[in-house]
Amino acid sequence: MLHTAMTVGTAILFFKKLGMSCNREFFPYGAGIILLGISTVLTDSGFLVVFNWAGIMLLFMAGMVRCFCGEGEWNFFSYLKMIVMMGIKTVVFSFHIFNLKDLKKGGREGEKEEEKREKMRSVLVGIVIAFVLLIVIFPLLASSDRVFAAIFENIFQMPENLHISSVVVIVCMTLFGILIIYGVFYAFAAGECCPKEGKRRNYEAVTGITFTGMIAAVYVLYCFVQVYVLFLKNDGGLPEGMTYAGYAQEGFWQLLFIGMINFVLVISVVYSFQKNRILDIILTVICGCTFIMTISAMYRMFMYVRVYHMTFLRILVLWFLILNLVMMTGVVIFIYKKKFSLFRFVTAAVSCGYILLSFLHPDYLAVSYNIGTMEKMTAADAVYMISTSSYDAAPALAEIHVEELDYSDGLYTERIVENELRHYFRRARQDDEKRTIREYNASVWRAAQVSPWKES
């Protein structure tokens, strides 16, 4: 959380140093970055932690592009291309910190500046070499003489659970962060981020009308089947031997990918082909069919959940389907309003949607939903949730009453389930006790507090 706040603060100071007044433009991105940092402290889900950091980096790059490149007449793919290019340049320019040669000035002033830069570079290289060597030398010296080791222990007063290896990791991560931040600022300050809008190819609209019309016709037929069989529940339209439940439980993965394909297809056609009213209508039909397909996929998923219950992955699928509906709404607006900033709309939708998801804790939602909707939870269901859930789900798992579970399948006994729960909360307490202030995690702390068993 502190790292994200420092990153945003550093960016604002950087803008001020360059005389740029873009704090207002960067504010939404900075707010999203800080919220993701807070979410990382509040969750124990490895999936959310990884994607929180990925989201932080993407939001930071998008914010920098917004400030340095401005609005321009960029299209959706130009924004993506620029973020990828600046990401690559960030890695390359990160190593320029070891080569401080800049634009040379003429005369004595230029020579003096060059001498200063050369001295700074020499000192910096010397510090790096000394640091690398001390990583190996210092632990050896400390382990060879207790008096020498005691001197530094008294100076730094390290906690018992903070070893020299932890210090090395912290320092290395800090240096890595400095290099990356330096690379980002160097890449954008180099002045190579310019809104160079590529010329539209303006292919003949007839071509677009032809192939999109054929695709739209297939989609309309498919959507008719969805309405007739799935939504109106006309069992007579099912193939022989297939039940309605079986029909409803299949196909949502395919529809998920088709929704993604349609999103890319529509905006590609808008950018590539000449403006045409008929083409716009056909694209709108494709978007409308995408809405029906997405709702169909959601309906199928809910039917699947009723039988096989809720999981982390199924919540992610439902979240993405809802997000796809929002993004396709933006695409419909973009079809008729070319000045509509689709990239910024999608960025806002994805960012807000993901931040909301990360704060809701899908593990907790899945477990609490299952506990609240199952008429009789089996021991196998309980063990599965305990073994697959992060500490985010601890408040819900603490509500499981072992004696009320269904043990009729004979897979688990009451003693086994209770031991699984005890082990889950025991690990939470042990994990919380060994964490330092720097490693504090609210989800782990909460899991240790809500444990029904307080013994060690």
Side-chain angles (χ1 to χ4, degrees):
M1 184 171 64
L2 292 177
H3 288 162
T4 55
M6 291 172 61
T7 300
V8 174
T10 303
I12 293 175
L13 292 175
F14 179 70
F15 298 144
K16 184 178 180 180
K17 185 69 175 179
L18 293 180
M20 299 173 61
S21 57
C22 64
N23 291 343
R24 182 178 179 182
E25 290 80 1
F26 188 76
F27 175 79
Y29 302 93
I33 290 171
I34 293 176
L35 285 174
L36 287 177
I38 295 174
S39 172
T40 302
V41 178
L42 298 179
T43 183
D44 177 60
S45 172
F47 177 92
L48 292 180
V49 170
V50 171
F51 277 87
N52 281 355
W53 284 108
I56 288 170
M57 290 186 286
L58 289 175
L59 279 176
F60 187 76
M61 294 299 294
M64 296 294 282
V65 170
R66 174 73 176 84
C67 290
F68 279 89
C69 305
E71 291 281 353
E73 294 294 332
W74 292 38
N75 61 40
F76 187 87
F77 299 110
S78 296
Y79 269 111
L80 291 179
K81 180 181 178 181
M82 180 55 64
I83 289 178
V84 173
M85 288 180 59
M86 299 310 290
I88 295 173
K89 289 181 179 180
T90 294
V91 177
V92 175
F93 288 145
S94 295
F95 296 96
H96 282 217
I97 196 172
F98 301 109
N99 183 15
L100 300 178
K101 294 181 180 180
D102 202 348
L103 296 176
K104 295 182 179 181
K105 298 181 181 180
R108 295 181 178 178
E109 183 180 354
E111 293 178 359
K112 291 181 180 180
E113 291 294 328
E114 184 63 30
E115 290 178 2
K116 290 181 180 179
R117 284 191 290 269
E118 185 65 28
K119 289 181 180 179
M120 289 176 61
R121 185 173 69 89
S122 300
V123 172
L124 183 60
V125 172
I127 292 174
V128 172
I129 294 174
F131 175 76
V132 173
L133 292 175
L134 285 174
I135 289 177
V136 179
I137 294 173
F138 189 83
L140 295 175
L141 293 175
S143 61
S144 66
D145 191 298
R146 292 188 178 183
V147 176
F148 178 80
I151 293 174
F152 287 92
E153 287 178 0
N154 293 331
I155 293 175
F156 295 109
Q157 294 182 345
M158 294 184 184
E160 294 181 359
N161 57 348
L162 183 61
H163 304 289
I164 188 65
S165 59
S166 301
V167 176
V168 172
V169 171
I170 294 172
V171 174
C172 289
M173 292 299 295
T174 302
L175 290 176
F176 177 76
I178 292 173
L179 289 176
I180 293 298
I181 292 296
Y182 175 85
V184 172
F185 292 155
Y186 195 115
F188 281 96
E192 299 179 10
C193 178
C194 301
K196 297 178 181 178
E197 173 69 15
K199 295 182 179 180
R200 292 189 178 183
R201 297 183 179 180
N202 289 327
Y203 290 124
E204 182 61 42
V206 175
T207 303
I209 293 173
T210 302
F211 80 84
T212 56
M214 296 174 65
I215 294 174
V218 175
Y219 282 171
V220 169
L221 177 61
Y222 183 88
C223 290
F224 174 78
V225 173
Q226 301 304 295
V227 174
Y228 181 76
V229 178
L230 190 62
F231 299 147
L232 299 181
K233 299 184 179 180
N234 289 294
D235 296 357
L238 294 177
E240 184 177 355
M242 175 174 283
T243 64
Y244 176 75
Y247 175 80
Q249 292 171 7
E250 66 177 19
F252 51 79
W253 287 112
Q254 296 89 327
L255 293 175
L256 180 68
F257 287 112
I258 289 176
M260 297 169 61
I261 291 172
N262 289 346
F263 175 79
V264 177
L265 172 66
V266 173
I267 60 177
S268 298
V269 170
V270 172
Y271 284 128
S272 301
F273 291 90
Q274 296 175 356
K275 176 71 175 177
N276 185 280
R277 185 177 180 182
I278 297 177
L279 182 59
D280 290 345
I281 294 174
I282 294 175
L283 293 178
T284 305
V285 171
I286 291 177
C287 291
C289 291
T290 304
F291 287 131
I292 296 176
M293 292 177 186
T294 304
I295 295 173
S296 173
M298 292 174 63
Y299 189 78
R300 292 166 185 261
M301 177 57 76
F302 280 120
M303 292 295 296
Y304 191 84
V305 167
R306 288 180 185 177
V307 179
Y308 297 103
H309 313 304
M310 187 67 78
T311 64
F312 185 100
L313 180 59
R314 289 161 197 165
I315 289 179
L316 289 182
V317 172
L318 290 171
W319 170 82
F320 185 83
L321 290 171
I322 295 173
L323 182 63
N324 191 48
L325 290 175
V326 176
M327 293 192 298
M328 289 306 297
T329 301
V331 172
V332 173
I333 298 174
F334 178 68
I335 291 174
Y336 296 96
K337 189 177 180 181
K338 297 302 184 291
K339 292 184 178 180
F340 178 71
S341 182
L342 182 61
F343 180 84
R344 292 180 62 190
F345 176 84
V346 171
T347 301
V350 174
S351 300
C352 294
Y354 178 76
I355 290 172
L356 177 62
L357 177 72
S358 64
F359 275 96
L360 289 177
H361 296 170
D363 271 334
Y364 172 79
L365 291 179
V367 175
S368 59
Y369 174 87
N370 291 335
I371 293 176
T373 57
M374 288 181 178
E375 294 182 3
K376 189 71 172 178
M377 182 185 297
T378 66
D381 291 328
V383 171
Y384 176 80
M385 289 189 294
I386 296 169
S387 61
T388 59
S389 299
S390 66
Y391 293 135
D392 292 354
L397 291 175
E399 299 298 323
I400 294 179
H401 300 286
V402 178
E403 66 279 1
E404 297 179 1
L405 299 177
D406 181 8
Y407 298 94
S408 59
D409 55 12
L411 295 176
Y412 299 97
T413 63
E414 182 175 334
R415 183 179 181 83
I416 292 176
V417 177
E418 183 174 331
N419 287 338
E420 289 289 332
L421 273 173
R422 285 177 179 271
H423 180 63
Y424 174 89
F425 286 105
R426 185 182 298 114
R427 283 191 294 108
R429 290 196 302 273
Q430 292 173 349
D431 194 3
D432 180 59
E433 290 172 359
K434 71 180 182 181
R435 286 175 179 260
T436 63
I437 295 178
R438 186 182 65 86
E439 299 170 327
Y440 172 79
N441 184 278
S443 183
V444 178
W445 176 84
R446 190 185 305 110
Q449 300 303 310
V450 300
S451 172
W453 298 279
K454 301 300 182 182
E455 75 276 6
S456 301

